[in-house]
Amino acid sequence: GESVGLHLPTLSVQEGDNSIINCAYSNSASDYFIWYKQESGKGPQFIIDIRSNMDKRQGQRVTVLLNKTVKHLSLQIAATQPGDSAVYFCAELSLNAGNMLTFGGGTRLMVKP
Amino acid sequence: EAGVAQSPRYKIIEKRQSVAFWCNPISGHATLYWYQQILGQGPKLLIQFQNNGVVDDSQLPKDRFSAERLKGVDSTLKIQPAKLEDSAVYLCASSHYTGRSSGNTIYFGEGSWLTVV
């Protein structure tokens, strides 16, 4: 994935609705795909990861889907809350490269009360 | 468990001056990373250490940036001389990864915000 410029894609959802954030990745050899949440003024916070040999993984209110055929990753957030408002980044982890983490583009999620 | 600690949190300097950022990783974490995040973009890896050795520094502008992790714990990142385009957040991260184990989750600090004027 490539970084985006100053104008991040924005997803605006109503509180209580489900959110789906998408990401295209570039390296088929990555071992894990990861979602990070970054709130204003803070560092990225790990949300959930998925190993490259899986296609779905669920956490608390979050689900990550991996489609290796089209190199697509998505994050689904159930019952979105105002506290979910942040920028979400997808990232690829390569163990062969010594646990190297490469970030893709970010999406700004805005939750309307 | 204490997280990744960074200082200073904010720094404003004039171009051509120097600046240094400090990072203390999570206790026991062998791998330490420095990332640069320009406003509106995803973090970009500058350098990665495993213990006190460099794993990757291919994207570190070595004419002005330097980093060290002498005792395999704390790390410093230095910029000298700074340019306007160095204005960014400098993020430190760490993981337990030792090359032979799991524990590959990477945890980030709050970042050091640099403004070059």
Side-chain angles (χ1 to χ4, degrees):
Chain A
E2 294 294 324
S3 295
V4 297
L6 285 174
H7 302 286
L8 286 168
T10 299
L11 174 65
S12 185
V13 301
Q14 204 69 39
E15 181 179 357
D17 287 351
N18 297 334
S19 303
I20 300 176
I21 301 171
N22 297 303
C23 174
Y25 64 89
S26 57
N27 186 2
S28 300
S30 295
D31 297 287
Y32 285 86
F33 298 89
I34 307 166
W35 283 100
Y36 279 88
K37 172 186 180 183
Q38 188 172 27
E39 297 175 282
S40 181
K42 296 188 175 182
Q45 176 189 0
F46 174 90
I47 302 174
I48 190 168
D49 64 4
I50 185 168
R51 198 172 177 119
S52 59
N53 62 355
M54 299 172 62
D55 53 23
K56 181 179 180 179
R57 188 173 184 213
Q58 287 185 292
Q60 188 176 15
R61 279 203 309 120
V62 294
T63 301
V64 56
L65 299 177
L66 176 63
N67 185 332
K68 294 181 283 292
T69 303
V70 295
K71 296 185 181 179
H72 184 266
L73 187 71
S74 69
L75 177 70
Q76 300 177 0
I77 304 174
T80 313
Q81 302 169 359
D84 295 327
S85 294
V87 177
Y88 289 80
F89 289 99
C90 60
E92 305 171 47
L93 185 72
S94 176
L95 298 178
N96 286 341
N99 214 44
M100 184 174 293
L101 184 69
T102 304
F103 281 84
T107 298
R108 185 180 307 279
L109 175 65
M110 297 177 63
V111 182
K112 296 177 288 187
Chain B
E1 178 181 77
V4 177
Q6 291 188 243
S7 69
R9 281 281 280 147
Y10 305 95
K11 191 76 176 180
I12 301 174
I13 61 173
E14 295 183 348
K15 58 184 179 184
R16 291 187 289 275
Q17 286 188 324
S18 64
V19 63
F21 300 114
W22 173 83
C23 173
N24 180 228
I26 293 172
S27 179
H29 279 194
T31 305
L32 184 146
Y33 312 76
W34 283 103
Y35 283 82
Q36 179 193 58
Q37 186 175 25
I38 292 172
L39 184 66
Q41 297 183 13
K44 182 186 83 171
L45 179 68
L46 292 176
I47 188 167
Q48 178 179 341
F49 294 94
Q50 185 166 311
N51 298 309
N52 59 353
V54 175
V55 173
D56 186 278
D57 63 356
S58 58
Q59 298 194 82
L60 186 74
K62 298 179 185 65
D63 58 333
R64 297 183 302 104
F65 286 65
S66 64
E68 59 183 16
R69 193 185 185 200
L70 293 175
K71 296 182 179 179
V73 181
D74 294 5
S75 176
T76 55
L77 175 70
K78 297 180 182 178
I79 307 174
Q80 182 180 14
K83 293 185 175 181
L84 296 177
E85 59 259 38
D86 298 333
S87 294
V89 181
Y90 291 87
L91 294 161
C92 182
S94 70
S95 75
H96 196 266
Y97 183 79
T98 61
R100 288 175 287 180
S101 67
S102 58
N104 49 43
T105 302
I106 299 170
Y107 299 91
F108 284 80
E110 300 282 72
S112 291
W113 295 65
L114 174 66
T115 301
V116 183
V117 298

